[in-house]
Amino acid sequence: MKRLYFLLLFVSFSSLAQNQIALNDLSAFDSPTKNWTIEGRAKGNISDSLLQISMGNGILVNTLRQGKYHREDDLKFKLNHGDIHFKIDFMLPKGANSGLYLQGRYELQLFDSYGKKSVKYNDCGGIYERWDEKRGKGNEGYEGSAPRVNASKAPGLWQHLEVEFQAPRFNANGVKTQSAIFKKVILNGVVVQENVIVSGLTRGSLFDKEAAFGPLMIQGDHGQIAFKNIWYETYDLPSVQLGKVRFQVYEGKFPDYQVGNAKVVQSGDLDKITQKAIDLRSDFLTKFDEDIEVPATDTYQFKTNWTGSGQLFVDGQLLNKGASWYTQSIYESIKLEKGTHHLQLVYAKDFPWGPKSLGLSIKRVGAHWVDVHERTSLPDPEAVGMIELKAESEPVFQRSFTFHKGIKKTHVISVGDPSGIHYSYNLKQGALLQVWKGKFLNVTQMWENRGEPQTSEPMGVVLDMDGKFPLVVDHQNQLDSLEAKDLVYKGYRIQHGRPIFKYDWKSTGLQIEDYILPNAEGTGLLRKIKIVGASPTKSNVQLIVSNATDFAELNSNMQSANSNEYNVKWEKGTAEILKLGNHQFQLRLPLLGEEFNYQIIW
Amino acid sequence: MKKSLYILACLLSFSLLAQKKNVPQESDFYEIKTLPIPKEIYLEIGGIATLPDGKLAVSTRRGEIWILENPYQLENHQVSYHKFASGMHEILGLAYQDGVFYCSQRGELTKVSDVNRDGVADLYEPVYQFELSGNYHEYTYGPVFDKNGDMWVSLNLAWVGFGEGKFSKWRGWFVKITKDGKLEPFAGGLRSPAGYSFNADGDLFYGENQGDWVGSGRVTQLSKGDFAGNPGGLKWAKEPNSPFKLTLEEIPDNGNPMYMAAEKVKNLKLPAVWFPHAIMGISTSDILQDTTGGKFSPFPGQYFVADQGQSKVMRMGLEKVNGVYQGFCINYREGFQSGILRERFGLDGSMFVGMTSRGWGSTGKDEYGLQRLVWNGKNPFEIKDIKVQKGGFVLSFTQPLNEASVNKLKSYALRSYIYKYQHQYGSPIIELKNLPIKSIRISDDKKQISMELDGMRRYFIHELKFPGLQSASGDNLLHETAYYTVNEFPSNDIAVNTWKSIAMEEEKAKKNDVVLEKPKQDKKTTGLISESVAQELLKKHTCVACHAKDKRIVGPAFEEIAKRKYTDQQILKLVYKPNPANWPDYATEMAPMSHVPAGDVLKIAKWINSLGNRKELENRD
C-alpha cells in the first residue's frame, strides 16, 4: 500500500521532471516581492546601468521599484530540487550583480564581468566562496572557484547559462556522504566549471544546513536583471532495474546477423553486459539477454555504442541496428509499460582492427542514465593534447578549413588579436563566418597527426555570422554566394599585423578593401569596407550590416540583432531594415563617400 | 705448444688486418650535418628555397616561412631563425624568384612579398586558387619553376579508402601556371606526387608513392598528355583543355603488369625507374639532379631521390635509350633524422634536406628536422653507372676492381621481376626469375665490366647484386645492389670485344654457395633463432626499414605484433598478404613481402612471438 502511494507521487512528478517554465505570470515562484515582474522585452546599451523594459510577457525582470533591495527580494522557485540540469538566458545592465543559488544554498555568480581581463570566483560563472567566521577576519571566505575564462557578453545582451548540478548525498542517519558538485557550468557556449565539489553552504544560503532538496533561488538584492527561456530537468524518478545477463558467443562472420547452424562457442551468466566476456578478438556474434524491470509506464531512451555492428531488441522488437564505431552514440526511444521487459543486445565484430567496445544505457525523463553495460566495456577516448594557437602580443592569422553552419569551408582565414577579439573570414566570399571573444584558435584537428579534418575551432564566446558577401548594388537581393569570376580574390596586405582583404568585383567594376579590427573600446569588431574605383554603380552600393531574426533600435545608429544577441553600430547613413520573411530581417546602409564603417558588439 | 703459438699468430695477423681494414660506411664519404632548431619552432618542413645571399628559406606544414641565417654553419654551429611569413595552410612547396616567394598552400598558389622591406611579409597574393573538397589528402605541392618562368604544381588525390580526384578540379594532375594565373593541365594519372623537378635538359620527373594502381614507388618522366597510371583524376580528362582523353573504363584492372596495360592505353607512361617497395624506400619524395659540377657527389649528372618513410636519399642514374628515359636506382645515404620531403642544393653544392613525419611516420624518429648532406671528397667504392646492352649490362665503378673477385660466381646475385598494375593498394613482386650469367668481360682500366645475361626482359626490374665484388684495394662495394628498369634495348651495344674475357670459377663454388644460402631445414621443427640472427634476417629482408623490436617506426614494433598472438603461420600469411586494416592507426600500409622465403619468415615469426612470451615471463612475480 505504501509502495503504491509512492508510485502515485512519482507519476504526478513526472510531468514536472522536465519543464520549460512559462513566464506568463509569476506562478512558478514562491511569494515573489513586487520587484519581480513579467515583461515583454528588455534591452540596453553597453553603458546603461538600467535596462529598457517593455510590457508583455515571456521574460522575468527584477526592477528597482522600491528603491532599495531587501533579502526578501531574493526570488525562490517553487521547484524543490536535488540533482538538476537547467538552462537559462539572462541579461544584465552595466554593473549588475546577481546569482543563482542551487537548492537555495550554493551560489553560482551572475555578474557584469564584461571586458575584465582576469576573473575570480565572484565574476560571472564563478562559484562563490564558502564562509566561516572561525577562519579569522579577512580569511572567512574559502573554496571559491573562478570561471576558467571570462565568457561574459556585454550588458544589455542576452547571455546563455547551462548548469548540471549534483545534490549532496546523505545516508540513512542524515550524515552527508558526498558533497554537492557543480558537474558542469557552460556560459555563452564556453565551459567555465567542470566537476567542482563544494564542501558546504555559500554565505547567503537560505538555510543553515545542507539537505538533499532545496528550492532554486535567484539573488535579487544587488541590481537589475532579466531572465527568459528557463528550462530544467530533475532526476528524482526511479528508473529501470537491471537483471542478470545471459550471453552466447558464435564464431564467424554474420553480416546479416543470422547465426544459422553456427555452434555456440562460449556462453555464461554475467552481472552486467560487457564485451570483455567475449574471448574472441574478432569474427564473432554475441547475444546478450537480460530482463529489466520498468518502474512506470513511460518513454525510455536507449543509447548504444559499439565498434562493429549490433542489434538491439526490446521485447523482440528491433529498436536499432547497424555498423558503427564506439565513439558514436545512437539514440532510440520506445514507450514501455510498467513491468518486466526483455532486452536482447546482439554484438558482432567481423574485422580485427579497433578495440572491442560495447555500451548500452537507458534514460527515462526525470531520471539519470542507467548503464546496462559494465564500465570497462567501453574504452576510454584517445588522449590527445590540445594545440592552441595564441594571439598574445600581436595579431595572428591562420588559414584552415572551418565548419560554418555545418558546411566545411576550405578557404578560411582566422584572425586573432591580443585584445581577445577574433574572427573567421571566408576568403572566397569576402564574408565574416564567425566572431568571438576569449582565447584564439584550437588547431588540434589540423596539426595533430595528419590532421584529417583540417579544421580550426574558435575558443570563446562565438557569434555566427551569415557568411555572405555583404555588398549589393541597385537594391538587389543579397546572393548566398558570388562566383569566383565575379568576386575575384586578390589576396591581403598586412597593416599593423592585420590583413586587409582585396577583391575585384567584376560585375560592378569596383575594387574592395575589407579591413576588420577590434574597435577602440574593445567591445567588438570594427569593419571598414573601402570601395575603390569609379563606376556608375558606385553610388548605388549598399552594405548589408546584418541578417537577423529581428532588430531593436538602441539609438539612431545602433540596433540590437537576433533578440539582443549582439549589437550593430555604424558611423554614418540611415539604416534601412527590410523584412524578408517571418523572423528574417536585413539591415542595409547606403554608401556615403568611399567607405563603409560599422561595428559588431557583443 | 706449437699449435697454440700458431693460433696466436693467426689471431694477431687477423686482428691487425681488421684494424687496417675498417669496413667503409656511408658516413665515411657522405656526411650529414644537423641544423639545430629552437625548441619552440615546429619546423615541419614542406618546402625549401636557397637564397642567393647565403640564407635559407623553409616553409612549414604549420603555414610559416622561416628565413635562416648561417645555414651552412660556417664558423658557428648555431643557426638564426627569423619568421618571415605565417598563417598559411600547410605549405608543401616553396620557391624564391625575383625577390619574392611563391608557395603552395592547400587551396592556393601564393605569392608572398615584403613590400616595405622590413623583413616580414606584408602581401599575400593568390596566383591561382585551387578547388578543395575538404578532404585532408588533397595535398598541393610546388611550385617548381621552369626555364620560362612558369610554375609547376602537382595536385594530390583525395583519400576515401582509395585515391579519388573527382571532388576538386585537376586533382591527380600536373598543372602549369603562369605568373599571371593562367592554368594549363599538363599530365594526369598522379596519386601522391610529393616531389618533382626538371633535369638539365628541361625534362620533368616526379616521384610516386606506392598505393592503389602503384605497385611500388617509382620515378616517371612526364611529357604533355602523359597518363602516369592512377585513374583517380580522370574525370578531368573530359575537360576541353585536357591534353588527353581517357576514361576509367579503358584502364585494364586485371593485375597484369603496367607495361601490358600500356599496350592498350597509349598514353600510359611507364616509369623511368622502379624503386622496389620497402627496399628502395616506401614513399618516394623529392628528386634532384646533381648539377653542382662535382661538388655534391662523385656522380655528377645523376639524380638523388629522397624517401619520406625511410628517411634516406637514394641515387638514380638515367640513360636515354631510343629516346626513352630508363636507368637504375641504388642506395646512397640513410640515417636522416625524420621523413624527408624536400631536397635543395645550397650555394656550396651541399644538399639541404627538409623533413617532417607527423602523421606519416618515418624511420628517422624525429617529428621534423633540417639537415645537410655533404660529400667530403673521398672516393667511395661504388657502382658509378650502368648502361643497358641488348643482352646485358655494362657497369662502371668508381675504383678499379680486384679481378679475383670478378671471376667468382658468388660475387653475383642477379634476378628480375615486376609488379602488378591494379586498383588494390600496392603489389607483391611477381614473375621473379634469376638472371644466369653467360659471360663477363673487364675493361683494361679494370673500372668497367660487361655482363652478358640470359633472359633479359623488357619492362622488368633487373636486380643486380654484387655481394662479392671487391676493389683493387680490397673494399666491398659501399652499396652492392642496384635496380635497373629496362624500358628499351639499344640498337647498338657498347663495344667491349677488346675487353678481357673472364673465366668464371668452378661450379663447385656455386654449389657451396647454394648450400650456404639455403641450409636444409625442416619447417616444422624450426628452432627459435637468437636475437642477433633475427636482426640479421630482419636487416637482410629490409624489415628493419619499417619495424623495430620495441618502438614504432613506420610500422608497429615487433613487441606489439607479438601481443596479437598470431600463429607463426598467420604471420607468414600476413607478411605475404598484409591486411592494413589490422593496424588502422598506422598511416603507411605494409607492402606484400612474398619474395621473402617462407623459411625465413617463419623463423622471424617465431622470434616475434617469443617477444610476447618473454614479456610475460618478465612480468611474472
Side-chain angles (χ1 to χ4, degrees):
Chain A
M1 189 59 206
K2 198 174 176 187
R3 199 172 160 190
L4 188 69
Y5 168 77
F6 266 107
L7 278 175
L8 285 172
L9 193 70
F10 284 133
V11 168
S12 68
F13 265 7
S14 181
S15 58
L16 290 172
Q18 197 182 69
N19 194 13
Q20 175 95 34
I21 295 180
L23 293 172
N24 299 320
D25 54 44
L26 291 168
S27 60
F29 307 101
D30 182 5
S31 333
T33 61
K34 282 182 182 165
N35 279 349
W36 291 94
T37 53
I38 298 295
E39 309 286 356
R41 169 146 208 168
K43 65 178 185 179
N45 210 334
I46 284 189
S47 52
D48 296 345
S49 54
L50 278 179
L51 302 172
Q52 302 168 47
I53 308 296
S54 32
M55 305 266 280
N57 55 40
I59 71 167
L60 171 69
V61 180
N62 177 22
T63 316
L64 194 67
R65 264 166 238 231
Q66 294 180 333
K68 191 168 179 247
Y69 287 108
H70 304 89
R71 184 63 202 256
E72 57 269 28
D73 290 317
D74 290 343
L75 183 69
K76 274 183 284 183
F77 286 61
K78 285 179 182 165
L79 170 71
N80 212 27
H81 71 88
D83 294 355
I84 190 170
H85 177 196
F86 70 88
K87 301 175 188 178
I88 191 165
D89 291 342
F90 64 95
M91 184 190 286
L92 300 162
K94 187 171 175 56
N97 176 357
S98 178
L100 289 167
Y101 279 71
L102 280 297
Q103 298 190 310
R105 294 183 174 89
Y106 313 98
E107 187 189 7
L108 184 68
Q109 177 76 330
L110 299 181
F111 191 77
D112 173 28
S113 300
Y114 182 64
K116 286 177 82 168
K117 277 280 172 205
S118 66
V119 281
K120 297 203 309 182
Y121 67 90
N122 56 0
D123 280 299
C124 204
I127 296 169
Y128 213 84
E129 291 181 325
R130 294 3 45 248
W131 190 265
D132 184 357
E133 305 283 353
K134 288 195 286 264
R135 292 168 66 93
K137 194 146 178 68
N139 293 319
E140 298 95 331
Y142 65 102
E143 212 184 70
S145 175
R148 283 184 194 168
V149 292
N150 186 355
S152 298
K153 283 174 73 173
L157 296 179
W158 283 112
Q159 311 199 49
H160 186 68
L161 180 72
E162 185 172 348
V163 178
E164 288 171 41
F165 173 81
Q166 181 182 302
R169 303 287 192 250
F170 299 88
N171 66 14
N173 303 323
V175 177
K176 189 169 81 168
T177 55
Q178 166 69 58
S179 288
I181 304 173
F182 281 90
K183 302 287 294 175
K184 199 168 264 188
V185 178
I186 305 171
L187 178 58
N188 294 318
V190 181
V191 175
V192 292
Q193 309 271 359
E194 208 168 10
N195 288 315
V196 177
I197 300 168
V198 284
S199 64
L201 306 170
T202 310
R203 192 185 186 189
S205 169
L206 275 181
F207 309 98
D208 56 7
K209 279 203 178 93
E210 297 187 87
F213 286 87
L216 190 63
M217 182 188 91
I218 301 172
Q219 184 183 320
D221 65 345
H222 279 67
Q224 202 185 23
I225 185 165
F227 295 94
K228 66 171 183 174
N229 295 337
I230 307 170
W231 174 97
Y232 68 86
E233 180 177 6
T234 51
Y235 299 95
D236 309 317
L237 297 186
S239 192
V240 294
Q241 289 194 317
L242 305 181
K244 279 279 175 194
V245 180
R246 296 170 301 286
F247 78 105
Q248 293 183 306
V249 183
Y250 302 84
E251 184 166 12
K253 293 182 198 290
F254 306 99
D256 52 3
Y257 306 97
Q258 300 302 316
V259 291
N261 298 325
K263 271 195 212 132
V264 173
V265 294
Q266 196 193 346
S267 65
D269 294 330
L270 299 167
D271 287 337
K272 277 186 129 183
I273 288 175
T274 176
Q275 48 78 10
K276 299 231 168 202
I278 306 165
D279 289 339
L280 292 165
R281 237 182 78 79
S282 67
D283 292 348
F284 60 78
L285 181 145
T286 305
K287 292 180 180 176
F288 295 93
D289 286 276
E290 177 171 1
D291 284 337
I292 57 166
E293 208 61 40
V294 166
T297 303
D298 205 342
T299 299
Y300 291 82
Q301 195 180 24
F302 288 74
K303 176 173 75 169
T304 53
N305 301 72
W306 54 62
T307 296
S309 47
Q311 288 178 308
L312 174 64
F313 294 92
V314 180
D315 300 328
Q317 182 191 338
L318 181 65
L319 202 56
N320 86 48
K321 75 167 185 179
S324 185
W325 194 258
Y326 75 94
T327 47
Q328 185 189 357
S329 300
I330 296 161
Y331 298 89
E332 291 292 342
S333 290
I334 187 170
K335 192 176 175 192
L336 296 178
E337 301 286 328
K338 172 179 172 355
T340 306
H341 294 269
H342 181 71
L343 300 183
Q344 187 179 60
L345 182 61
V346 179
Y347 175 45
K349 189 162 177 281
D350 57 9
F351 50 85
W353 64 91
K356 278 187 291 185
S357 344
L358 182 64
L360 169 63
S361 308
I362 304 174
K363 170 94 172 74
R364 177 190 181 196
V365 169
H368 286 298
W369 282 100
V370 174
D371 285 342
V372 184
H373 63 272
E374 196 79 62
R375 203 214 62 79
T376 52
S377 186
L378 276 179
D380 290 333
E382 247 184 282
V384 174
M386 185 173 65
I387 308 175
E388 177 186 346
L389 192 61
K390 295 177 178 174
E392 283 175 329
S393 57
E394 53 191 30
V396 168
F397 44 90
Q398 180 62 50
R399 288 177 66 162
S400 68
F401 297 164
T402 296
F403 276 105
H404 180 251
K405 299 188 193 295
I407 296 167
K408 197 189 257 188
K409 304 289 181 189
T410 54
H411 293 67
V412 175
I413 191 165
S414 296
V415 182
D417 196 272
S419 66
I421 304 171
H422 323 296
Y423 68 92
S424 297
Y425 186 89
N426 186 353
L427 292 168
K428 278 188 158 177
Q429 293 295 327
L432 277 172
L433 295 175
Q434 55 197 4
V435 302
W436 71 98
K437 281 185 191 169
K439 294 181 176 185
F440 180 37
L441 206 59
N442 180 349
V443 290
T444 316
Q445 297 298 332
M446 185 161 62
W447 290 348
E448 158 68 22
N449 214 302
R450 290 187 178 194
E452 299 200 8
Q454 277 299 305
T455 48
S456 67
E457 287 148 37
M459 298 175 66
V461 181
V462 184
L463 292 180
D464 252 351
M465 299 283 110
D466 60 26
K468 295 177 186 175
F469 180 61
L471 304 180
V472 293
V473 286
D474 301 332
H475 298 272
Q476 288 167 0
N477 291 333
Q478 186 181 29
L479 297 174
D480 284 338
S481 65
L482 269 63
E483 285 185 44
K485 62 174 187 257
D486 182 12
L487 187 68
V488 180
Y489 167 63
K490 301 298 281 182
Y492 47 89
R493 65 186 161 89
I494 305 299
Q495 181 172 300
H496 307 307
R498 302 185 184 97
I500 300 177
F501 307 104
K502 302 191 293 181
Y503 292 88
D504 265 359
W505 192 8
K506 292 287 185 187
S507 59
T508 63
L510 295 167
Q511 288 86 52
I512 295 158
E513 288 197 354
D514 196 354
Y515 189 28
I516 303 162
L517 66 166
N519 63 11
E521 299 79 19
T523 55
L525 284 170
L526 167 65
R527 188 177 191 184
K528 300 194 217 181
I529 305 178
K530 198 176 195 177
I531 313 294
V532 187
S535 160
T537 57
K538 188 166 178 176
S539 57
N540 291 325
V541 175
Q542 278 184 307
L543 168 73
I544 292 161
V545 173
S546 169
N547 286 292
T549 56
D550 71 353
F551 289 100
E553 185 175 304
L554 295 172
N555 57 48
S556 63
N557 66 342
M558 198 166 175
Q559 293 266 350
S560 200
N562 280 350
S563 302
N564 308 71
E565 189 191 14
Y566 61 95
N567 298 334
V568 289
K569 181 182 177 181
W570 57 95
E571 194 176 59
K572 54 192 172 186
T574 305
E576 179 188 4
I577 294 180
L578 304 179
K579 181 168 180 171
L580 304 179
N582 275 343
H583 307 294
Q584 273 186 286
F585 294 87
Q586 191 171 73
L587 196 155
R588 294 184 172 205
L589 284 176
L591 179 61
L592 302 173
E594 294 280 306
E595 188 178 271
F596 291 107
N597 179 315
Y598 76 99
Q599 298 179 35
I600 303 164
I601 294 162
W602 71 102
Chain B
M1 183 63 200
K2 218 173 187 180
K3 199 178 174 186
S4 65
L5 255 181
Y6 170 75
I7 289 170
L8 190 65
C10 273
L11 284 172
L12 272 174
S13 67
F14 183 78
S15 72
L16 279 173
L17 195 70
Q19 260 177 18
K20 187 169 157 259
K21 291 301 301 177
N22 276 335
V23 177
Q25 309 284 315
E26 288 176 344
S27 54
D28 294 333
F29 310 94
Y30 318 128
E31 298 181 19
I32 294 175
K33 311 286 182 190
T34 303
L35 283 74
I37 301 168
K39 293 288 182 198
E40 73 275 13
I41 300 177
Y42 290 81
L43 206 71
E44 301 172 329
I45 298 179
I48 297 182
T50 307
L51 305 184
D53 60 359
K55 296 179 186 173
L56 185 77
V58 302
S59 69
T60 70
R61 292 171 72 192
R62 292 195 170 193
E64 300 147 326
I65 298 174
W66 291 88
I67 293 180
L68 282 56
E69 216 174 282
N70 194 36
Y72 302 93
Q73 300 169 289
L74 290 178
E75 289 82 24
N76 180 0
H77 184 67
Q78 282 300 327
V79 177
S80 150
Y81 288 73
H82 166 72
K83 198 197 281 181
F84 173 75
S86 60
M88 287 179 276
H89 200 177
E90 198 149 26
I91 314 175
L92 296 182
L94 181 68
Y96 179 80
Q97 202 174 68
D98 303 329
V100 296
F101 288 101
Y102 294 87
C103 63
S104 58
Q105 308 189 51
R106 283 179 169 270
E108 188 178 295
L109 176 61
T110 308
K111 179 183 177 185
V112 184
S113 326
D114 174 16
V115 177
N116 68 4
R117 300 189 301 283
D118 66 349
V120 178
D122 50 22
L123 185 59
Y124 296 74
E125 297 169 288
V127 180
Y128 194 88
Q129 293 243 69
F130 300 108
E131 287 180 12
L132 291 174
S133 69
N135 185 293
Y136 83 97
H137 206 259
E138 288 176 344
Y139 296 111
T140 303
Y141 310 100
V144 169
F145 275 90
D146 66 16
K147 285 173 183 161
N148 303 324
D150 292 330
M151 284 171 272
W152 294 68
V153 173
S154 63
L155 301 167
N156 216 97
L157 295 176
W159 181 254
V160 288
F162 55 90
E164 180 57 90
K166 71 177 181 187
F167 307 124
S168 321
K169 210 165 181 185
W170 303 117
R171 287 280 146 197
W173 288 70
F174 257 110
V175 296
K176 181 168 89 172
I177 298 171
T178 61
K179 275 188 185 163
D180 59 354
K182 302 270 186 304
L183 178 142
E184 180 193 315
F186 181 77
L190 316 181
R191 192 187 94 81
S192 194
Y196 56 95
S197 61
F198 293 94
N199 68 2
D201 294 330
D203 287 321
L204 176 67
F205 291 85
Y206 96 102
E208 186 59 277
N209 277 222
Q210 185 239 27
D212 43 341
W213 300 96
V214 186
S216 179
R218 62 196 186 205
V219 168
T220 307
Q221 180 263 318
L222 290 177
S223 302
K224 185 161 182 171
D226 280 346
F227 168 66
N230 187 304
L234 280 184
K235 176 182 177 185
W236 311 112
K238 295 189 181 80
E239 293 291 309
N241 57 339
S242 168
F244 65 84
K245 301 283 175 241
L246 187 65
T247 61
L248 175 63
E249 291 68 38
E250 294 173 65
I251 314 286
D253 183 18
N254 49 21
N256 284 334
M258 198 175 178
Y259 72 87
M260 293 176 76
E263 288 164 10
K264 296 196 180 71
V265 182
K266 288 304 166 200
N267 62 332
L268 177 59
K269 190 63 167 278
L270 297 175
V273 177
W274 286 100
F275 284 64
H277 188 75
I279 302 158
M280 298 303 287
I282 52 168
S283 45
T284 325
S285 57
D286 231 348
I287 302 167
L288 218 49
Q289 188 182 20
D290 181 0
T291 51
T292 63
K295 284 185 196 161
F296 171 66
S297 77
F299 310 100
Q302 292 192 2
Y303 301 76
F304 292 83
V305 180
D307 193 78
Q308 198 277 334
Q310 291 190 339
S311 304
K312 67 181 181 184
V313 171
M314 298 162 288
R315 175 160 66 93
M316 177 175 83
L318 294 180
E319 58 177 330
K320 226 171 173 177
V321 181
N322 304 334
V324 176
Y325 279 106
Q326 63 185 42
F328 68 97
C329 58
I330 187 167
N331 274 320
Y332 185 71
R333 182 62 157 104
E334 62 179 16
F336 289 88
Q337 69 190 118
S338 184
I340 306 175
L341 199 56
R342 289 290 160 252
E343 303 171 323
R344 287 293 180 270
F345 286 122
L347 300 177
D348 62 352
S350 64
M351 181 195 276
F352 287 102
V353 172
M355 290 164 275
T356 165
S357 66
R358 168 164 59 83
W360 298 329
S362 65
T363 308
K365 63 179 181 359
D366 292 352
E367 278 269 284
Y368 50 82
L370 177 58
Q371 293 179 313
R372 207 156 52 92
L373 182 55
V374 182
W375 176 41
N376 60 20
K378 288 185 184 150
N379 186 19
F381 177 44
E382 292 252 45
I383 297 169
K384 190 173 181 185
D385 200 6
I386 305 176
K387 304 278 187 212
V388 72
Q389 303 290 86
K390 270 180 266 183
F393 296 98
V394 169
L395 291 98
S396 56
F397 297 85
T398 55
Q399 293 178 23
L401 296 165
N402 170 6
E403 209 175 305
S405 70
V406 176
N407 72 349
K408 289 191 175 59
L409 268 175
K410 69 171 182 184
S411 293
Y412 305 85
L414 313 173
R415 54 187 196 164
S416 65
Y417 48 82
I418 193 64
Y419 294 97
K420 291 181 179 184
Y421 178 59
Q422 56 181 6
H423 75 275
Q424 282 98 331
Y425 203 97
S427 161
I429 282 172
I430 58 167
E431 297 188 39
L432 180 67
K433 264 191 197 165
N434 284 330
L435 284 163
I437 296 172
K438 283 160 78 179
S439 71
I440 302 261
R441 287 170 182 269
I442 189 161
S443 66
D444 297 343
D445 63 0
K446 309 259 190 293
K447 286 169 95 171
Q448 293 187 76
I449 58 170
S450 85
M451 304 191 300
E452 202 185 342
L453 305 174
D454 222 1
M456 294 276 291
R457 287 183 290 179
R458 192 179 175 193
Y459 302 119
F460 278 63
I461 300 157
H462 292 68
E463 183 183 296
L464 312 175
K465 186 174 180 183
F466 306 101
L469 277 191
Q470 288 193 330
S471 68
S473 52
D475 286 333
N476 291 324
L477 280 164
L478 191 57
H479 300 102
E480 62 180 22
T481 313
Y483 303 85
Y484 191 104
T485 301
V486 177
N487 285 323
E488 298 279 335
F489 289 111
S491 44
N492 294 308
D493 281 352
I494 297 166
V496 295
N497 49 351
T498 61
W499 294 6
K500 179 181 169 187
S501 186
I502 299 282
M504 300 307 279
E505 221 175 52
E506 300 300 304
E507 269 309 279
K508 204 173 100 194
K510 191 186 169 190
K511 270 180 193 157
N512 282 340
D513 284 345
V514 169
V515 172
L516 279 177
E517 274 294 302
K518 292 180 182 169
K520 273 186 192 167
Q521 52 175 289
D522 183 359
K523 276 178 196 169
K524 282 175 197 158
T525 58
T526 306
L528 179 57
I529 52 176
S530 71
E531 171 92 21
S532 60
V533 173
Q535 290 300 345
E536 216 164 273
L537 274 179
L538 294 168
K539 194 157 186 206
K540 177 179 170 192
H541 296 304
T542 69
C543 313
V544 290
C546 299
H547 300 277
K549 186 176 154 193
D550 52 5
K551 67 170 199 270
R552 172 185 182 142
I553 312 181
V554 176
F558 290 123
E559 287 181 354
E560 285 302 309
I561 298 170
K563 285 184 194 160
R564 295 287 174 96
K565 298 197 160 86
Y566 296 119
T567 64
D568 296 353
Q569 285 296 334
Q570 276 174 324
I571 290 182
L572 175 68
K573 219 166 125 191
L574 286 165
V575 167
Y576 282 5
K577 199 181 171 198
N579 183 2
N582 288 354
W583 302 92
D585 300 338
Y586 290 79
T588 308
E589 298 190 13
M590 177 170 162
M593 301 291 281
S594 48
H595 53 286
V596 180
D600 281 0
V601 180
L602 288 171
K603 279 184 202 164
I604 293 169
K606 201 171 188 80
W607 173 78
I608 290 174
N609 281 330
S610 76
L611 298 175
N613 298 337
R614 274 175 212 167
K615 265 266 156 5
E616 274 164 25
L617 286 175
E618 280 163 22
N619 290 339
R620 201 175 52 181
D621 282 329

